[in-house]
């Protein structure tokens, strides 16, 4: 199935890994899954709630012009997510910045810190298509909007 999905992406399809249930994957399985689907070298950085900010320079976002699809994406939103590292800046769709901080009391009590460029939503060009990650475990409204955008679903 992975080979079929990769071929689909390479031929112009869009695949998003994420959504409800993503937290049931073992953390060490996620990089292997993403690599097998698109050859990306993304790694898991951690799991926490913080505010992530839209990267308006992302090529997929920039290609949409002033479309309704772009307008549906929030400039930032808070989510509890499995976040990635080793993501090229041009593949970051929603990421933490210097303004982000741990927003979960339980995680803050354990000394949780948020680094810049922890990525909740990423997408990479693979052949003619796009492979994406949405790490939100609670499917916040911002993640739903991002997922629809990444899939090319028009509202």
């Amino acid at each position: 199935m992975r080979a079929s999905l990769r071929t689909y992406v390479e031929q112009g399809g869009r695949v998003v890994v994420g959504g409800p249930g993503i937290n049931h994957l073992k953390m060490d399985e996620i990089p292997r899954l993403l690599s097998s689907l698109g050859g990306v070298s993304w790694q898991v950085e951690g799991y926490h709630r913080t505010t992530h900010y839209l990267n308006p320079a992302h090529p997929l976002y920039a290609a949409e012009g002033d479309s309704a699809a772009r307008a549906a994406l929030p400039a930032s939103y808070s989510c509890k997510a499995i976040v990635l590292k080793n993501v090229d800046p041009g593949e970051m769709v929603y990421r933490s910045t210097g303004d982000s901080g741990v927003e979960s009391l339980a995680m803050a009590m354990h000394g949780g810190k948020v680094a810049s460029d922890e990525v909740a939503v990423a997408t990479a060009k693979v052949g003619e298509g796009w492979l994406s990650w949405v790490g939100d475990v609670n499917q916040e409204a911002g993640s739903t909007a991002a997922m629809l955008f990444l899939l090319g679903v028009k509202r």
Side-chain angles (χ1 to χ4, degrees):
M1 183 155 131
R2 289 183 190 189
S4 295
L5 282 172
R6 184 165 182 156
T7 299
Y8 171 74
V9 172
E10 289 172 343
Q11 294 177 351
R14 294 182 181 195
V15 169
V16 176
V17 178
I22 196 67
N23 57 318
H24 294 285
L25 287 176
K26 292 181 179 176
M27 295 286 189
D28 63 346
E29 291 176 2
I30 294 169
R32 287 193 299 273
L33 171 63
L34 294 170
S35 179
S36 71
L37 294 175
V40 296
S41 59
W42 302 338
Q43 299 293 314
V44 172
E45 170 66 19
Y47 168 73
H48 53 75
R49 175 175 288 280
T50 193
T51 298
H52 297 274
Y53 295 84
L54 179 65
N55 174 13
H58 190 282
L60 186 59
Y61 182 85
E64 287 292 333
D66 291 326
S67 73
R70 265 177 62 156
L73 293 174
S76 66
Y77 72 99
S78 175
C79 68
K80 185 187 291 185
I82 300 169
V83 293
L84 302 176
K85 63 181 179 179
N86 296 343
V87 178
D88 183 273
E91 298 171 346
M92 297 176 182
V93 179
Y94 280 95
R95 83 251 186 247
S96 61
T97 69
D99 293 328
S100 301
V102 174
E103 296 172 1
S104 167
L105 181 58
M107 292 172 186
M109 289 174 56
H110 294 287
K113 297 192 186 308
V114 176
S116 290
D117 294 334
E118 291 183 357
V119 181
V121 180
T123 191
K125 187 78 168 160
V126 177
E128 296 299 315
W130 296 92
L131 173 66
S132 304
W133 167 260
V134 178
D136 182 359
V137 301
N138 294 326
Q139 201 62 34
E140 304 284 352
S143 293
T144 299
M147 194 172 278
L148 293 172
F149 175 82
L150 295 168
L151 289 169
V153 175
K154 307 296 182 194
R155 288 180 161 194

